[in-house]
Amino acid sequence: MLGLNHTAFSLNLPASLAAGLEGKVAILRLNRPHKRNALDDTTVIGIDAFFGALPESVASVLLVGEGEHFSAGLDLSELEERDIRQGIEHSRLWHRTFEKIQFGKVPVVAVLHGAVVGGGLELAAAAHVRVAERSAYYALPEGSRGIYVGGGGSVRLPRLIGVARMMDMMLTGRTYSAEEGQAIGLTTYLVETGKGFAKGLELAHRIAENAPLTNFAVTQALPRIAEMEPSSGYAMEALMSSIAQADPEAKSRLKDFLEKRGPKVTRG
Ligand code: 1HE
């Protein structure tokens, strides 16, 4: 197990999280395996703090879970005491935190294994690239608990898998396997159990080498353009591409290619 330490970030994360740095990649590990990485308030606030305090040197984040499961979702033991107003505040806390992941400073790669359920799936949906190990499975047990998603699932999950599949998951308690999740678009990489961390780290390092403006365009502009009506989308795309190509970083990468130094596209 990779030893992660908080000191790299000079911030006090709760014991339910561990953080570390590997080159330009910051690693955040859900570290509450005895509770299957259930997300209590302390953990969610810690995730918020982590994404709010990324050092300048960090160019991508790898999000992983300790133990047999990525995350069992909302910590159900905290649910009993909340009234309606507190429930709304709680959901908004998750929204703010997961927005910091989706629309934060750098791209985020999530590695999924074991249970990725309820709020755990909502958390995964806020990342930009998802890698599944074959042990992963996905469910939205909110239906059977008499509750509803509250961590942005209604917004992000239909965009990944469609309203009909999310309805089915919530109404019938359907569980998708790692292979099915890959087929329906929950993940874009599927690897053997135990290989997710290495694959996720490789991808995070690869992403960290992109021009920062490209990563900004892809994570910030692309999802917004995709929601626009087409004529506004084309205008926004033209602006974004002209800004990116005017950057000195782009100029030097193009020059490298034209002078036979840049990488070629390979079959993979
Ligand atoms: C928990 C939680 C939790 C485990 N909150 N404590 N999420 C769920 O409905 C999923 C509930 N969890 C499970 O179905 C199972 O725990 C798992 C399939 C994830 C894992 O099973 P297993 O056999 O490995 O572990 P376990 O024996 O069930 O659980 C181990 C401990 O973790 C146990 O505590 P212990 O003190 O008795 O040892 C469990 O109580 C505890 N635990 N999951 C609290 N979720 C923003 S809205 C989002 C809404 C939702 O996410 S709803 C979905 C909630």
Side-chain angles (χ1 to χ4, degrees), residues 34-36 38 69 72-77 90 94 115 117-119 122 137 141-142 145 147-151:
H34 59 290
K35 292 290 180 187
R36 308 308 184 249
H69 303 282
L74 175 71
D75 187 318
L76 295 169
S77 68
H90 177 263
W94 281 52
V117 303
E122 294 183 281
Y137 59 96
E142 284 85 345
R145 311 267 181 238
I147 54 176
Y148 186 65
V149 289

Side-chain angles (χ1 to χ4, degrees), residues 142-178:
E142 284 85 345
S144 67
R145 311 267 181 238
I147 54 176
Y148 186 65
V149 289
S154 325
V155 174
R156 294 192 183 94
L157 288 170
R159 286 171 166 79
L160 282 176
I161 61 172
V163 173
R165 285 199 186 91
M166 180 167 173
M167 271 189 188
D168 181 19
M169 289 175 87
M170 294 204 72
L171 291 175
T172 69
R174 178 176 187 155
T175 297
Y176 281 107
S177 67

Side-chain angles (χ1 to χ4, degrees), residues 97-221:
T97 300
F98 291 5
E99 282 254 314
K100 266 196 188 163
I101 299 174
Q102 186 180 359
F103 294 114
K105 285 203 285 195
V106 296
V108 179
V109 177
V111 176
L112 310 179
H113 73 292
V116 184
V117 303
L121 184 53
E122 294 183 281
L123 171 61
H128 303 99
V129 175
R130 280 165 293 279
V131 176
E133 295 195 350
R134 284 196 191 273
S135 65
Y137 59 96
Y138 314 99
L140 292 171
E142 284 85 345
S144 67
R145 311 267 181 238
I147 54 176
Y148 186 65
V149 289
S154 325
V155 174
R156 294 192 183 94
L157 288 170
R159 286 171 166 79
L160 282 176
I161 61 172
V163 173
R165 285 199 186 91
M166 180 167 173
M167 271 189 188
D168 181 19
M169 289 175 87
M170 294 204 72
L171 291 175
T172 69
R174 178 176 187 155
T175 297
Y176 281 107
S177 67
E179 290 76 14
E180 289 170 327
Q182 175 77 5
I184 65 175
L186 272 177
T187 58
T188 50
Y189 293 88
L190 178 62
V191 298
E192 296 307 317
T193 296
K195 305 281 186 209
F197 185 86
K199 184 66 186 175
L201 192 59
E202 173 201 324
L203 295 170
H205 278 303
R206 170 73 188 75
I207 289 167
E209 293 311 314
N210 292 338
L213 253 179
T214 300
N215 281 347
F216 173 83
V218 172
T219 58
Q220 310 284 327

